[in-house]
Amino acid sequence: MSNTQFTITDQQRDYSQFGLSENPFPYSPVPDDDPAVYCGQEHATREISETVSTVLSTGKSKHLVITAKYGNGKSHTLKYTRSLIRDRSDVIVGYVAQPGEGFHDIYQEFIYDLGFDRIQRLAYEYLAVLSCEVTEFEPTGPDEMQRLIDDGEILLSELIPEAIRRLNEITAFADFARAMLHMVYEDTNLYAWQWLTADGIRYEQRKQMEIHSALDDDTSSVRAFTALKNLVVELGYTGIFLFIDEFESISRLSPKDKQTTLNSIRHLMDQNSHGLCVLFGCAPEVWQDVMSEYHAFSERIGKEVALKPLSDENLRYLVRSYLELARESGEETLAPFGEDGLNVVLQYSQGNIRQALSICSQTLDQAVEQDLDVIDAAFVEAQISNRS
Amino acid sequence: MLYRQRTLETPHGDLETPVLFPVSNVGKRSSDNTPAYADQIPDLRTAMVNARAIRQREPQWERLLDGSSLRQEMGVPDDTIVFADSGGFDFHTETLDTTPEKTLETQIRIDADVFGTVDLPLSREDRQAKNQRRINESIQYALAASDAHEGDSLLFASVHGHDPETVRNSIRYLDRHGDFDGFALGSLVPIRTDYRKTTKLILAARLATDKPLHVYGLGGLVYQPLLLYLGVDTFDSSSFIRSAGNRNYLIPGFGGREMHRIEGLEYLPCPCPVCGPRTTEAVRADRNLLVQHNLWALTIELRRFRYMIAAGEDIESYLELRFQGNDVTHRAYRMAKQQVRRLA
């Protein structure tokens, strides 16, 4: 498609001259949900590993805040950490992109991140555990439990009253218990999901499930989160990992709302001395304010780890790792980037990962357009001046 | 469409389904409300009776114990196929005063062909815990009846549930743990105006098993075509008696109309043997005639549907036409169609 001003095409650029199948750098340097590359920040990885490992090995709650300036990899670090533990079968992991207006929003995002299917599977999983105790069947997981119900091996009307009674004891939140168990009923599971996600449902829908309260504020959301954690611990999970990114956005809130949000998170931590790990990503200046103004909250977070800008060595490792993702030969080289070209990238980006990736992505495309062999200092400088 | 035709063998002969069991209130204080119809309507050799009511009406029960037959008491031919439910509908408000064994004994004594197991219907107003308990008790009563049942009569397990999951699960559980010839879905009358829910429950039951499915209490004019479309095999209705009690005249395709609103008309539109030769005034003046006509109306509804099938007509188009006159039932049919098509 073209006219005198635009040339729009879906034809792909050919990167084969560099032995690459594609441009491996992101055009818009936002972290992938499952980042494939992570480099540098040994001190940070040490702290994160230590925090996560402590929770996994002892079950005791531990929390960490990761600070860094914009573009220095907070989200990337959180998402990379999440990708490392998400596939473990003994934990529940949820990512919250930003805290919103308060803990109610954090809870909501967390449940959305887990998703309908995961929550429904937890309900079946709970019934499976209960069935092992109160029936002759020993379902090994949610799928088998669902099959036993579908096939009429286990009687729902016998199991559910007992399930409600026990889940009520475990969670100390009768409405939460009912909502969880309604996840197995096709007629009401969407209402139950709406309630669990704190989306708000009509009174008649709540009445149908015999749920008396609305999940509409920070206090009830903390209660529901704790109930969920108690449920997963009862099911044999080590605990819940909650990743809260862009925590700095709480600075937008009014002092009262900020206080309420931090208090709610503090209450959550206080109510869950076991089985909870919260990892925050936060801009350092906001975290400094929190540290100085809200001791009660900040004291509950064990440690802060600051991400550093990329060093020369880090940048080379980063670029090599990205290139490897698309390298057809499997070689580990920096080509087509020249050493001096990367020096300019580092100089211009000042070690900011987002900027460095953005420059690399752009210069690689331009190098293909101009049929270059090597991306050297002069070429990078020219591209940077074109950008500005 | 899930409509199906079957032949069920019963002690009093083969039963061609789908079929209506008109409710006979034999045993009830208002026993005489059910006029003789078996001789007038040849394809209605069926009756639904309440085993508990018959047993509780002492003089009649004594006569039955002394050797009289229920069919004689009812004034119907000997080959009338009788479905005897446990009287569960009364347990909405009354305390359960029977056992599976006692009900079975009554059903055997009255020589019923189809036995409905003892059941405790649900109420929307009851707490879920109470309803769960009632569902569970009905299942246990059904299993007890299965253990005690012998002979050629068909045993239909009564099933309750206000969500598809429970209905499906209960039927499959009973199918697995008991020996039943069919299933009978109850507790639908109190929620019958919620068409979406009701049709979903019926569908859940229909698809949970291949065995015959009876639906308690919904065989009236409005629901009947929906039940047929959803593949229900047998159903019962007392609407012909109740409507007549309210002086309502049933017209297939239109529902009930109050007789006092019909003015200036010498003859009614129905060609049935009741209305055909009589004036409007004559039908209006005789409640029994009105009951008989209403039963004809139900029969004609069923005959029409059977005719459409036999003639190879497009049933969905027929039902579109059939429900056109009433927004509520038209919507109900459309919902049922969507649900059925999603399964196809």
Side-chain angles (χ1 to χ4, degrees), chain A residues 4-25:
Chain A
T4 51
Q5 289 162 310
F6 291 92
T7 303
I8 295 175
T9 173
D10 60 359
Q11 199 177 346
Q12 291 193 348
R13 286 194 179 91
D14 181 7
Y15 297 89
S16 59
Q17 68 187 87
F18 300 136
L20 298 171
S21 57
E22 60 174 354
N23 183 345
F25 300 101

Side-chain angles (χ1 to χ4, degrees), chain A residues 124 148-158 160-161 178 182 184-187 208-210 212, chain B residues 126-129 132 135-136 139-140 162-166 168-170 172-173 176-177 197 200:
Chain A
Y124 276 114
L148 288 172
I149 291 173
D150 287 348
D151 291 353
E153 299 255 21
I154 284 179
L155 191 54
L156 262 182
S157 56
E158 206 169 51
I160 291 294
R178 291 209 177 89
H182 270 280
V184 307
Y185 291 100
E186 67 176 58
D187 238 19
Q208 203 177 336
M209 300 184 285
E210 288 192 338
H212 303 290
Chain B
D126 282 343
R127 287 177 58 82
Q128 271 189 17
Q132 291 277 0
I135 291 168
N136 208 23
I139 288 171
Q140 301 314 325
H162 277 172
D163 64 273
E165 201 73 48
T166 299
R168 200 166 30 239
N169 172 259
S170 301
R172 291 191 175 146
Y173 183 87
R176 193 172 280 277
H177 293 89
K197 195 176 189 73
K200 269 170 89 172

Side-chain angles (χ1 to χ4, degrees), chain A residues 221-258:
Chain A
S221 301
V222 168
R223 224 180 140 197
F225 195 103
T226 302
L228 178 66
K229 193 229 70 185
N230 290 343
L231 166 63
V232 302
V233 169
E234 177 72 16
L235 290 174
Y237 290 82
T238 307
I240 289 181
F241 284 79
L242 168 61
F243 293 78
I244 307 177
D245 205 356
E246 294 187 23
F247 196 64
E248 60 272 11
S249 66
I250 60 157
S251 62
R252 286 187 294 104
L253 302 179
S254 67
K256 185 170 167 284
D257 288 346
K258 196 194 309 187

Side-chain angles (χ1 to χ4, degrees), chain A residues 193-375:
Chain A
W193 168 245
Q194 263 179 285
W195 188 86
L196 286 166
T197 54
D199 261 346
I201 57 173
R202 291 205 313 272
Y203 170 74
E204 296 77 31
Q205 296 165 339
R206 277 210 328 251
K207 193 177 161 203
Q208 203 177 336
M209 300 184 285
E210 288 192 338
I211 288 177
H212 303 290
S213 63
L215 210 57
D216 56 3
D217 59 11
D218 280 14
T219 309
S220 56
S221 301
V222 168
R223 224 180 140 197
F225 195 103
T226 302
L228 178 66
K229 193 229 70 185
N230 290 343
L231 166 63
V232 302
V233 169
E234 177 72 16
L235 290 174
Y237 290 82
T238 307
I240 289 181
F241 284 79
L242 168 61
F243 293 78
I244 307 177
D245 205 356
E246 294 187 23
F247 196 64
E248 60 272 11
S249 66
I250 60 157
S251 62
R252 286 187 294 104
L253 302 179
S254 67
K256 185 170 167 284
D257 288 346
K258 196 194 309 187
Q259 176 98 38
T260 308
T261 306
L262 295 177
N263 268 340
S264 298
I265 301 175
R266 178 168 70 82
H267 287 313
L268 181 79
M269 291 170 172
D270 288 352
Q271 286 172 23
N272 295 282
S273 58
H274 281 74
L276 179 65
C277 178
V278 190
L279 296 180
F280 300 88
C282 186
E285 54 277 17
V286 173
W287 184 244
Q288 284 307 318
D289 289 348
V290 170
M291 289 273 278
S292 57
E293 291 173 35
Y294 303 95
H295 296 285
F297 170 73
S298 60
E299 279 168 7
R300 279 161 176 81
I301 296 175
K303 277 192 176 168
E304 173 195 349
V305 61
L307 300 181
K308 295 175 186 166
L310 292 174
S311 66
D312 179 58
E313 191 188 339
N314 291 154
L315 177 67
R316 278 163 175 69
Y317 178 82
L318 181 77
V319 171
R320 197 163 40 240
S321 302
Y322 267 100
L323 289 170
E324 262 176 50
L325 297 175
R327 182 82 70 197
E328 285 171 330
S329 65
E331 266 180 291
E332 290 183 23
T333 74
L334 285 169
F337 288 91
E339 291 284 343
D340 58 340
L342 286 179
N343 287 341
V344 178
V345 172
L346 186 65
Q347 203 181 345
Y348 182 79
S349 66
Q350 294 188 323
N352 183 295
I353 299 171
R354 186 178 295 163
Q355 295 232 22
L357 289 173
S358 175
I359 297 169
C360 289
S361 176
Q362 214 174 338
T363 49
L364 185 65
D365 274 357
Q366 287 307 313
V368 169
E369 292 285 318
Q370 297 178 28
D371 207 16
L372 287 189
D373 290 335
V374 177
I375 299 172

